[in-house]
Amino acid sequence: MSFEEKKGTCGCQGQMRELEHNIGHVPVFFKELAESDPLIHEAVLKLDNYIWSDGSLTRKEKKLIAIGIAAAMRDDHALRAQLAGAQMVGVELDEVEEALRVSYMLAGMPSYVHGKYVAKSVFHE
């Protein structure tokens, strides 16, 4: 089947709900990707489900890692999305605080301050 034949055949609404559960918020551009490039959309969904599935690390532990990375990168959108998803899997604010301390040690004070500011706003919405 050619790309043109596969276009629009994603049929991945259930996968989109799972993605929302995995990361907490699905960016609009990714929802639009289902229409514009369903093959890459489906491939990313499969990778996402593989990465967030429990393995040696739980989904909760992976969320804390993602929060630390997003804070270190000072990526406000990713940080808010990860924090929202973290709440959905039972991450507490004190656990976020610890993850941000690790981020501070490796990425410096700005990542820690940014992460704390965003975490407080997301956890108290």
Side-chain angles (χ1 to χ4, degrees), residues 5-68:
E5 291 171 320
K6 288 186 176 184
K7 229 178 150 177
T9 63
C10 180
C12 48
Q13 288 301 323
Q15 289 176 311
M16 287 294 283
R17 282 189 293 280
E18 192 169 354
L19 180 63
E20 184 89 23
H21 174 74
N22 288 345
I23 64 172
H25 171 73
V26 178
V28 172
F29 84 89
F30 191 72
K31 291 176 183 176
E32 293 169 351
L33 193 60
E35 296 285 323
S36 66
D37 195 343
L39 294 177
I40 193 72
H41 183 266
E42 190 167 350
V44 170
L45 283 173
K46 286 180 182 178
L47 179 61
D48 186 80
N49 286 327
Y50 170 73
I51 294 209
W52 290 109
S53 295
D54 284 344
S56 296
L57 296 174
T58 66
R59 183 178 299 218
K60 184 176 178 179
E61 292 166 326
K62 291 175 184 184
K63 279 293 173 194
L64 291 167
I65 292 167
I67 289 165

